[in-house]
Structures are given as structure tokens and as C-alpha cells.
Amino acid sequence: MRKPFIAGNWKMNTDSHSSVSLAKAISSGTQHVAGRSVDVAVIPPFVYLQAVASALSASSIAVGAQDIYIEPKGAFTGEISAAMLKDVGCSYALCGHSERRHVIGETDEMVNKKVKAALAGGLLPILCVGELREERESDKTAEVVTRQLKNGLADLGDEKVSAITIAYEPVWAIGTGLTATPQQAQEVHSLIRELISRIYDSRLADALRIQYGGSAKPDNAAELMAQPDIDGLLVGGASLKADDFLEIIKTVV
Ligand code: 13P
């Protein structure tokens, strides 16, 4: 059985005060469930990671980074390494979030390097994949997701892939209020599991956790989580309100 995994990606939101109070509210609302019946992570902006990790140190809520750089150290102005992220208390790193792919211009090759850098630095990557609206409308969803997945996981052996979470985030559903229907999401999640089974094996595919992301909220979380291949949610907007995020977590415990 795959343990549900709910993560809140705060994106470029909160400040030094609100990041800590949000973390504390989530921690007190999940005291008896986090780490037991559900894995919970928060993914704050880099500059608040340390404060949030320290506010959560007595809890079972994990902390993740929104991005990571591909090199371990050196002259890369503005970038953050896996070792630095570990040092401030991170255990997860998002790799290839759609906003980094489509706003910043990250390529599949860069995303693959980020996955490898995270693993090499002892972090658990959350590899994000998902199609644009025009790609869905022209029936290219399977093609795009397959390409992003194969390239993102290029040259990684079984052992490495078992440490990865995949997040399927259709770009047209992110921040738009347009959630994929549970059936649309399930279809792509099952395609991802099938691909992993073909590239690796069915044991690995069965154990792999695949999150859905894109306007996940308290009123659609249960229906999404009821799908056989949806193992968790990567929540954006609704993770910024403790009550909404807690409500979402409640749907899986
Ligand atoms: P929203 O939940 O705001 O649509 O964001 C989803 C997302 O991009 C999480 O990484």
C-alpha cells in the first residue's frame, strides 16, 4: 500500500512571520496523523526554509525546496545546492515544476540534472510533469508526459527511481481553478505507472507515489484521492491557508 503524500508548494508567497505561523498551524493540526497515516511536506520559498524547518523540528512534517541547482558548489551566483538545502533541514526538492519549465525556461535535460543533483545530495526529488492547455487540446498529453518522464529519469537506476515522487500537474489546471476531472487525472497517472513498469519493473511502479497538482482544494481532494493511481496531492494556492490545507489532509486519513 502506498502511503498518501500531501505537499504544499507555497511558491513565491508568505513572509518571515506568516511562513512560520502557517507552518505551526499545519503542525498543530496534523499532530496525530503526519508521518503515520499520511506524509505531509511544506515547500516554502528558499529564504524561509530554515525558519520553517526549525518551527517544524518537533513535528513529522517534512520540508522541501521549490528548486535546486545542478552543481554541488562553486561560482553559480544566485543558485542553491543540495547540500545547502539539506543543511537547513530540507528532505525534498521539487524538480521541473511547470513554472520553472515554462516561466524560467528549464529544459528536460536540466530537470534530469536536478533530479540527479537532489539524489546525490541525499534529497528526495519530486519530479513534476504535465502538459500545456494547447498540448491537451491537440491530444498530445500522453506524448508530452512520456517525454518529460523518460528524459527526467534518464540514466537513473532502479534504486534511484524508488526514492522519487512524480507529480502530475497539468499546466492548464495550475492556479486557474480548472481542476482536471478525477478521470482525466487518473488516466495520466495510470499512464505514468505503466511507463515506469515498462522502463523499470512492476514492483517499482506499484510502489511509486504519484501526486496530482492543479487547483486541488478541500472540495475536490477526496474525489481525486479516491482514484486508484492518485497517491497524493501537490497543493499550491490552497496550501497557503492552514484550514484549507488541513481539510485536504483530513480527506486521506
Ligand atoms: P494550484 O494548487 O495553485 O493550482 O498550484 C498547483 C501547483 O502548481 C503546485 O505545485
Side-chain angles (χ1 to χ4, degrees), residues 142-232:
E143 182 187 322
V144 170
V145 169
T146 301
R147 192 202 71 228
Q148 291 177 338
L149 197 68
K150 280 191 173 160
N151 292 344
L153 297 177
D155 314 316
L156 293 171
D158 289 29
E159 193 201 325
K160 299 244 156 89
V161 173
S162 61
I164 297 176
T165 299
I166 306 291
Y168 168 57
E169 299 204 306
V171 182
W172 50 271
I174 296 178
T176 57
L178 284 175
T179 319
T181 64
Q183 293 68 30
Q184 282 173 321
Q186 166 57 26
E187 200 178 312
V188 180
H189 280 232
S190 128
L191 165 89
I192 293 171
R193 205 176 300 287
E194 174 61 36
L195 269 168
I196 297 293
S197 171
R198 266 195 272 135
I199 308 172
Y200 298 94
D201 59 49
S202 60
R203 185 196 49 82
L204 212 153
D206 283 345
L208 180 85
R209 290 194 292 191
I210 310 173
Q211 296 177 314
Y212 166 80
S215 301
K217 334 181 235 291
D219 64 5
N220 58 27
E223 223 190 337
L224 287 160
M225 287 299 298
Q227 301 301 310
D229 289 297
I230 300 185
D231 310 310

Side-chain angles (χ1 to χ4, degrees), residues 9 11 94 97-99 169 173-177 213-216 234-238:
N9 175 9
K11 306 193 180 182
L94 293 182
H97 188 277
S98 74
E99 283 142 23
E169 299 204 306
I174 296 178
T176 57
S215 301
L234 182 53
V235 186

Side-chain angles (χ1 to χ4, degrees), residues 118-136:
L119 288 167
L123 295 168
L124 302 167
I126 301 176
L127 169 61
C128 305
V129 298
E131 80 287 1
L132 296 164
R133 178 202 284 260
E134 53 272 29
E135 291 166 337
R136 172 158 287 264

